[in-house]
Amino acid sequence: MEGAYVHPLSVSQQRASFIESDDDEISPTMPSPSPIGSSSPSRLSRRHDSATHSHAHPRPLPTPSRPLASPIPHNHLPSAPASPPTPAPSPTPHQRAPSWTNAGENEDAFLRDARSHFSRLDAGERQRFLAEVLNLCDSHQLSFVHSFVSPRLKKDPFNILPNELCLRILAFVDDPKTLARASQVSQRWHELLSDDLTWKILCDKHAYRRLSEASIENLKQFFESPTTALSPRVMGYPARSRPTSLIGSIDAAFMGASSSAPGLTTKRVDSGSLSQSGHARHKALSYKSHFKQRYMVETAWRTGGRAICRHVTPDQGVVTSLHLTSKYIVVALDNAKIHVFDPDGEHQKTLSGHVMGVWAMVPWGDILVSGGCDRDVRVWDMSTGESVHTLRGHTSTVRCLKMSNDGLAISGSRDTTLRVWDIETGLCKNVLVGHQASVRCLEIKDDLVVSGSYDTTARVWSISEGRCLRVLNGHYSQIYAIAFDGNRIATGSLDTSVRIWDPHTGQCQAILQGHTSLVGQLQMRGQTLVTGGSDGSVRVWSLKKMAPIHRLAAHDNSVTSLQFDETRVVSGGSDGRVKVWDLKTGQLVRELSTPAQAVWRVAFEEEKAVIMASRQDRTIMEVWSFSPPEEVLGVPERSSSPMSLPEELVRGAPDDDTTMSDAFDARRVSHSSRAI
């Protein structure tokens, strides 16, 4: 009937009409249901309707039953390969909120009533309500619901798990970049990644030195600093009555070998203690800051570094010796000159006194002992540039020099003898006679000195007794290089072999063969021996198995310089190239500097390398720095875990309410931490 009133459909009638419909969309002519929360229809009728269908599950969107209008595409036939699936859109960290720009006037009031109604429903009613709403949604609306709900269902496990489990999980992450990015996720993640245990484990995995070893000198400087007086008591001792035995124990613990002379025992400062300009910089007081510094240094060794080039002499001069210490770079040439530079490569002094080429020298603190073709051994004070003593006695060229302590030096000469000198008084204490030809090389360990000679033998001498203990026979030609660590002796010869000896019995333990020419470069460190020969090859040997580990075709000509540490091998050759190798893998890491006419000497420490080379018929010194810039390192963080403190100092502190942390807090009273 025209104009007749049509009663609105109830919720159950709407559901029935929706289920019976074959269309995949709701008809636009369907009458709209009355607003939720209105006075009619009653709430009881809706509950009765829900009870009637209590066993009916919400039905998904219906699928059209009509056949497809178009035939199956050719690429979907069984004979054709399947098309790749269409990739889903990449998730975004924050989904956009619905836009209200086109909202109706009464929409806000409707939603307010809907929220009020929904809040009054119990759990079961809410689920049924949501199921009805979701059944009315198309795929785009369901996708919006999914993207809106998914982030709210995610939970951060580190907010639930205890700290011990969180740190255990983080211990399996080996990549420091991943940990650095993870520390920026949230405050909780940042607190976990600031714990020193994670970074200590990472230091061990990357084989970085323990913080207690690397920073022992740093702590010594901390205790001696006047700013430490900000704290009334440090380590349980009053600031003005701190025992000197503590500083002495730190001194004793930090005695090591010179980087340019592995057999030389000398006092060294932490390589990170001086910045580019020579000023002291902040020290690593936690494993996190220590790892950051070491990681940046290792990265610079592989891909970075800054080089400073210096002209040593205006003319051509052959570099015969190079030493790198914490205070000096010392260079000796065959033109009788010795040049002293500061750690940044700035020229300080030229030591003049020798009248012929200088072929051997050894530094010890501010003292330098040198010898050469004029047959004299000279003692210098590098701080003043003055010659302290001239030691005479050799009758031919002084070819090698070593020091056993700050008052005793031993020289070997082409006159076949070794002489033991008291450099404080300038007197010769002993003359060691026994070799039948020139003494080419020597090494010292405690009271023993081992010498290698052109007479094909090596000899073990007692310094205190002044006599030969053992003669090592076995080589068929001249001995050019020797290494000695107190337990083993390694000798390299013109007969192309390397022999390993027992210094206590004189027995030959092994013959290492592989080089095809003179073996003139040797260095021994722990269970590893690295050799370089005139055939251009560098070989890494295991002293435990007495077998080669790596065979490196390093240079096109003789290996003129060789040095290695626990991480890398650096070799220089007469082909003018300097190469850095990975000690563990034997792979070439990089070629340092550009090719020169020849490379005379190379010496390096953890954050610095010095190259002496010939370019355009001039002697050039290149100083490479691998230390991180100060603005990148920032102020080091104090350890949040006591395990990063040196165990020796912790055990030595008396029981007191003042801890090492209090001392560090006083030291850093004006600084703030910076995240890695």
Side-chain angles (χ1 to χ4, degrees):
M1 179 182 294
E2 202 169 330
Y5 173 76
V6 180
H7 192 279
L9 296 176
S10 66
V11 176
S12 60
Q13 290 171 337
Q14 293 176 25
R15 181 187 298 110
S17 63
F18 177 79
I19 294 175
E20 292 171 1
S21 174
D22 289 336
D23 297 331
D24 57 346
E25 293 184 359
I26 300 176
S27 173
T29 61
M30 178 182 294
S32 301
S34 58
I36 300 175
S38 61
S39 57
S40 72
S42 67
R43 186 175 179 183
L44 291 175
S45 63
R46 285 187 281 108
R47 288 191 176 181
H48 174 73
D49 184 73
S50 300
T52 305
H53 298 277
S54 60
H55 297 288
H57 298 283
R59 185 172 179 177
L61 291 175
T63 304
S65 58
R66 291 190 296 270
L68 295 173
S70 59
I72 298 176
H74 175 71
N75 62 343
H76 283 188
L77 294 176
S79 60
S83 299
T86 303
S90 300
T92 57
H94 301 286
Q95 298 295 335
R96 295 180 180 177
S99 175
W100 289 88
T101 56
N102 56 352
E105 296 180 358
N106 62 342
E107 189 171 347
D108 185 42
F110 170 77
L111 290 177
R112 183 173 60 252
D113 294 337
R115 286 194 295 267
S116 176
H117 171 74
F118 188 81
S119 63
R120 293 194 297 269
L121 301 179
D122 58 25
E125 290 173 334
R126 289 188 178 191
Q127 290 182 0
R128 290 189 291 273
F129 180 89
L130 293 175
E132 291 298 332
V133 174
L134 293 176
N135 271 332
L136 299 176
C137 297
D138 58 19
S139 59
H140 293 288
Q141 294 162 349
L142 290 174
S143 177
F144 167 76
V145 173
H146 173 73
S147 62
F148 193 82
V149 172
S150 293
R152 288 160 174 76
L153 296 178
K154 295 179 180 178
K155 293 185 180 294
D156 184 353
F158 288 168
N159 284 331
I160 303 173
L161 298 176
N163 291 344
E164 292 78 7
L165 285 179
C166 296
L167 294 175
R168 177 64 175 170
I169 294 171
L170 291 174
F172 290 96
V173 181
D174 295 332
D175 183 20
K177 291 183 179 179
T178 300
L179 292 176
R181 284 192 289 263
S183 67
Q184 302 173 3
V185 170
S186 65
Q187 183 177 359
R188 167 65 173 166
W189 286 45
H190 180 74
E191 291 173 355
L192 286 172
L193 288 166
S194 296
D195 189 277
D196 238 20
L197 177 60
T198 302
W199 299 98
K200 179 183 183 299
I201 295 174
L202 208 58
C203 284
D204 295 338
K205 289 181 179 179
H206 285 254
Y208 294 160
R209 288 192 309 164
R210 290 185 58 188
L211 184 62
S212 57
E213 299 170 1
S215 296
I216 199 80
E217 181 70 19
N218 301 346
L219 292 175
K220 175 194 170 187
Q221 294 180 7
F222 165 77
F223 290 131
E224 292 177 334
S225 172
T227 58
T228 307
L230 291 172
S231 177
R233 294 178 66 85
V234 177
M235 292 287 294
Y237 297 106
R240 295 186 178 180
S241 61
R242 203 167 301 137
T244 57
S245 59
L246 177 62
I247 304 300
S249 64
I250 297 177
D251 273 331
F254 209 73
M255 300 295 287
S258 168
S259 59
S260 53
L264 172 65
T265 302
T266 178
K267 178 183 177 182
R268 65 190 180 104
V269 180
D270 179 42
S271 59
S273 62
L274 295 177
S275 64
Q276 299 274 315
S277 59
H279 300 296
R281 74 182 183 201
H282 297 292
K283 310 303 190 302
L285 300 180
S286 69
Y287 277 100
K288 181 178 180 180
S289 55
H290 174 64
F291 180 87
K292 178 180 179 180
Q293 177 181 334
R294 297 305 313 141
Y295 182 82
M296 295 180 70
V297 169
E298 293 300 321
T299 302
W301 265 102
R302 292 182 175 276
T303 58
R306 301 173 299 279
I308 300 174
C309 187
R310 306 291 185 195
H311 297 281
V312 178
T313 59
D315 54 356
Q316 178 72 11
V318 176
V319 177
T320 59
S321 186
L322 168 67
H323 285 272
L324 174 61
T325 72
S326 61
K327 294 178 63 177
Y328 305 105
I329 300 173
V330 192
V331 181
L333 294 94
D334 65 346
N335 59 7
K337 301 294 184 183
I338 300 174
H339 298 281
V340 181
F341 302 84
D342 69 8
D344 294 330
E346 295 292 340
H347 188 269
Q348 289 187 332
K349 302 173 185 67
T350 299
L351 308 182
S352 300
H354 287 286
V355 295
M356 300 180 71
V358 179
W359 285 93
M361 68 175 182
V362 55
W364 189 287
D366 289 329
I367 298 298
L368 179 73
V369 182
S370 63
C373 296
D374 59 4
R375 301 171 293 179
D376 291 341
V377 175
R378 288 182 175 266
V379 182
W380 309 84
D381 185 344
M382 288 189 288
S383 62
T384 62
E386 299 295 326
S387 177
V388 180
H389 296 294
T390 301
L391 313 178
R392 293 186 170 92
H394 283 296
T395 59
S396 188
T397 299
V398 177
R399 200 62 185 83
C400 48
L401 267 172
K402 287 292 184 292
M403 293 181 68
S404 61
N405 54 55
D406 58 357
L408 197 69
I410 301 178
S411 59
S413 170
R414 287 179 179 168
D415 63 9
T416 74
T417 66
L418 290 86
R419 287 180 176 259
V420 181
W421 306 92
D422 186 332
I423 61 175
E424 294 180 354
T425 62
L427 299 177
C428 179
K429 299 181 67 175
N430 262 319
V431 180
L432 308 180
V433 180
H435 282 295
Q436 304 300 312
S438 172
V439 179
R440 181 63 173 78
C441 50
L442 64 90
E443 286 292 344
I444 301 175
K445 188 68 175 179
D446 299 329
D447 187 53
L448 297 180
V449 56
V450 182
S451 59
S453 170
Y454 284 173
D455 64 4
T456 74
T457 69
R459 288 177 178 257
V460 182
W461 311 80
S462 170
I463 299 176
S464 58
E465 298 178 13
R467 66 184 183 91
C468 178
L469 301 179
R470 274 163 284 281
V471 179
L472 312 180
N473 288 294
H475 282 292
Y476 299 102
S477 192
Q478 296 98 313
I479 295 176
Y480 275 80
I482 200 163
F484 178 43
D485 63 358
N487 298 317
R488 295 188 184 93
I489 301 171
T491 54
S493 170
L494 185 61
D495 62 13
T496 74
S497 71
V498 176
R499 288 179 178 254
I500 309 298
W501 312 83
D502 187 327
H504 306 293
T505 64
Q507 297 297 316
C508 180
Q509 295 178 333
I511 302 176
L512 308 180
Q513 295 180 323
H515 286 284
T516 59
S517 187
L518 161 70
V519 181
Q521 303 293 328
L522 284 179
Q523 185 184 343
M524 187 160 47
R525 188 186 185 99
Q527 297 292 332
T528 304
L529 173 71
V530 179
T531 61
S534 296
D535 55 4
S537 69
V538 173
R539 293 175 181 259
V540 182
W541 309 83
S542 169
L543 295 179
K544 184 178 294 185
K545 300 179 180 179
M546 297 298 179
I549 302 174
H550 303 302
R551 303 175 179 88
L552 312 178
H555 299 278
D556 297 333
N557 212 321
S558 298
V559 178
T560 57
S561 189
L562 182 67
Q563 185 183 336
F564 81 99
D565 60 13
E566 65 273 6
T567 305
R568 64 188 61 88
V569 180
V570 179
S571 63
S574 55
D575 59 357
R577 298 177 183 272
V578 177
K579 296 184 179 181
V580 182
W581 310 84
D582 190 296
L583 178 64
K584 292 183 179 179
T585 65
Q587 298 296 316
L588 177 65
V589 174
R590 68 181 295 186
E591 190 168 325
L592 206 59
S593 185
T594 56
Q597 290 175 291
V599 174
W600 304 121
R601 290 288 186 273
V602 178
F604 76 89
E605 58 182 20
E606 288 184 357
E607 300 182 13
K608 185 180 299 180
V610 180
I611 301 172
M612 303 301 305
S614 174
R615 296 183 188 273
Q616 299 177 350
D617 296 327
R618 300 179 68 181
T619 301
I620 302 298
M621 180 178 70
E622 290 185 5
V623 181
W624 284 78
S625 174
F626 305 102
S627 33
E630 287 293 318
E631 59 272 14
V632 176
L633 280 179
V635 179
E637 298 180 6
R638 179 172 60 86
S639 170
S640 60
S641 173
M643 67 182 63
S644 63
L645 297 179
E647 297 176 359
E648 301 87 349
L649 299 183
V650 175
R651 287 196 302 266
D655 293 333
D656 196 270
D657 54 4
T658 303
T659 63
M660 180 69 84
S661 298
D662 299 324
F664 285 157
D665 287 335
R667 178 72 167 175
R668 301 172 58 253
V669 67
S670 62
H671 299 301
S672 60
S673 298
R674 180 176 300 179
I676 186 171

